[in-house]
Amino acid sequence: MGRARIAVMGGDGIGPEVTTEAVRVLETVADLFGHHFEFFHEPVGGHCIDEHGVALLPGSLRRVKRADALLFGAVGGPKWDDPRAPTRPEDGLLGVRKGLQVFANLRPVRVYPSLLDASPLKSSKLSEVDFVVVRELTGGLYFAKPKRVWESRGQTRAVDTCAYSEAEIERVITVAINLARGRRSRVMSVDKANVMATGRLWRQVATRMAGENPDVKIEHVLVDSCAMALVTRPESFDVIVTENTFGDILTDEAAVITGSMGMLPSASLGSSALGMYEPIHGSAPDIAGKGVANPLAAILSSAMLLRHSLGLAYEARLVEQAVDEVIAEGARTADIAAGGSAISTTEMANTVVTTLRTLHSTAR
Ligand code: IPM
Ligand code: MG
């Protein structure tokens, strides 16, 4: 029997709809296994700007820091897209990442055989695809200063800064190496060492760590070449590790090649057990409030929460198995229905909950 306090930030768009269903799955897990999970909600993103003038309240961050885990939905939408706005929904997300110091963002990419037809790639390339991207999440272009827009000699100018320290690179590559040890023991380190100073430092650190960890095969690739390889030979990857901006771009590419973007979860981890779990898909404002969003990425994120923050690997596996099963049996929300008949967000979650109960009772 375990106790846990779980913070929930649904955010904007479909975020609240899908996190509600993920909470329901976690409640089912608690019920089946005799755990006690307590949930509390905090505002973030665009609706937080509307209500409080900021995308993240300092008090929310303090409370989340004392929780065992954070389940996050998504932020943003056209309503808050004015480039001149003093604050943006994304500031809330970035504030949480930085505030919790979750420097390693794990984005597993796997294929569901029955969804392969939705992929833009030939399905013959895809059956073997199974990799994880470890994206550095609290450094690089997203956070380094200077970062500003200003006027000078009749021109508007802007600057962003990419900065990394050896320690920041080393800790995220360590996460990738440890992850690879439980998989196929291969790490692809991605950089832009031919142009960027931070890229050369990245490669230097990765090369040293390759020497120190001979049981894991660490290779290097330039980011442009990696973008190409993701579509030409996606099956060749096991663990990919890269800096923040490259990771942002490569994970959208990686997510879409499987044809199941709405299915992919993520975990953001730091040096304590407190982690942040969110679906990769965004706030999808076009379908918000319609009850049609796919809750499976949020549900799979809650499985990662069970595994990484609560140490409940068996329960996590059972949730993942339930999702595998409902997909194999043909349950489809609109995004993965390929024009066929689709069920609602809540119906999909109901199917997962029922399957979870059945799996649990047959396993005993
Ligand atoms: C992501 C998103 C975010 C990012 C946005 C919403 C700020 O694209 O998590 O990949 O760029 O990190
Ligand atoms: Mg992104």
Side-chain angles (χ1 to χ4, degrees):
M1 147 104 182
R3 303 185 83 80
R5 292 189 70 244
I6 301 170
V8 181
M9 288 178 151
D12 306 315
I14 62 170
E17 299 166 44
V18 297
T19 45
T20 298
E21 303 306 338
V23 167
R24 225 149 55 77
V25 168
L26 287 172
E27 281 170 339
T28 306
V29 167
D31 181 35
L32 291 174
F33 291 89
H35 303 310
H36 184 83
F37 299 159
E38 186 190 317
F39 297 91
F40 66 98
H41 293 259
E42 298 289 343
V44 72
H47 76 269
C48 190
I49 295 177
D50 290 348
E51 273 167 50
H52 307 284
V54 288
L56 173 67
L57 295 165
S60 295
L61 189 58
R62 275 199 305 276
R63 286 185 288 277
V64 172
K65 279 184 180 168
R66 290 198 300 265
D68 295 299
L70 167 62
L71 191 62
F72 196 95
V75 293
K79 183 175 176 195
W80 306 283
D81 260 355
D82 184 349
R84 291 156 308 179
T87 177
R88 307 170 54 82
E90 290 78 5
D91 295 340
L93 173 58
L94 299 184
V96 174
R97 288 175 178 170
K98 193 71 175 178
L100 301 184
Q101 278 295 309
V102 284
F103 59 82
N105 179 217
L106 275 48
R107 299 187 164 185
V109 175
R110 48 169 300 218
V111 149
Y112 292 84
S114 60
L115 297 180
L116 279 184
D117 286 346
S119 170
L121 299 190
K122 291 194 193 76
S123 41
S124 58
K125 281 192 178 311
L126 291 172
S127 51
E128 310 281 287
V129 171
D130 177 8
F131 62 89
V132 185
V133 180
V134 180
R135 168 189 175 192
E136 201 291 325
L137 203 61
T138 52
L141 276 175
Y142 278 60
F143 294 100
K145 301 276 167 45
K147 181 183 203 62
R148 66 193 179 99
V149 182
W150 78 101
E151 301 293 330
S152 161
R153 284 174 272 132
Q155 286 273 314
T156 307
R157 296 164 197 272
V159 65
D160 291 291
T161 304
C162 191
Y164 272 106
S165 70
E166 213 176 333
E168 282 178 300
I169 298 169
E170 182 165 334
R171 66 183 181 178
V172 74
I173 295 180
T174 302
V175 171
I177 289 174
N178 288 334
L179 195 65
R181 288 202 169 105
R183 297 174 50 96
R184 302 194 301 278
S185 294
R186 292 176 40 218
V187 172
M188 184 60 84
S189 172
V190 181
D191 59 45
K192 189 72 185 170
N194 54 348
V195 176
M196 296 174 71
T198 45
R200 285 189 279 278
L201 179 61
W202 188 282
R203 188 164 294 208
Q204 195 183 319
V205 173
T207 304
R208 168 172 57 74
M209 293 178 76
E212 293 162 1
N213 297 276
D215 60 317
V216 174
K217 183 173 181 203
I218 303 180
E219 296 170 282
H220 312 273
V221 67
L222 296 172
V223 62
D224 46 353
S225 170
C226 182
M228 194 163 63
L230 276 174
V231 288
T232 52
R233 45 180 180 87
E235 75 293 343
S236 69
F237 295 104
D238 181 19
V239 176
I240 294 175
V241 62
T242 191
E243 65 90 48
N244 203 344
T245 305
F246 297 161
D248 177 44
I249 299 166
L250 293 178
T251 51
D252 262 26
E253 184 188 5
V256 85
I257 60 176
T258 66
S260 42
M261 174 96 174
M263 306 280 299
L264 299 184
S266 80
S268 303
L269 309 174
S271 36
S272 76
L274 170 57
M276 168 181 179
Y277 302 85
E278 61 180 309
I280 290 198
H281 62 67
S283 58
D286 50 321
I287 58 164
K290 298 186 177 156
V292 299
N294 186 344
L296 294 178
I299 289 171
L300 290 167
S301 299
S302 75
M304 295 186 87
L305 183 158
L306 291 166
R307 177 177 294 116
H308 294 287
S309 280
L310 308 188
L312 300 174
Y314 181 82
E315 287 84 336
R317 193 61 216 120
L318 208 67
V319 172
E320 288 162 351
Q321 243 177 292
V323 171
D324 282 353
E325 209 154 291
V326 304
I327 287 297
E329 280 166 11
R332 299 285 184 270
T333 41
D335 58 313
I336 49 176
S341 70
I343 58 177
S344 72
T345 307
T346 307
E347 285 165 338
M348 180 61 106
N350 288 346
T351 317
V352 174
V353 165
T354 310
T355 309
L356 199 51
R357 290 191 181 280
T358 311
L359 285 173
H360 179 260
S361 65
T362 50
R364 290 195 315 167

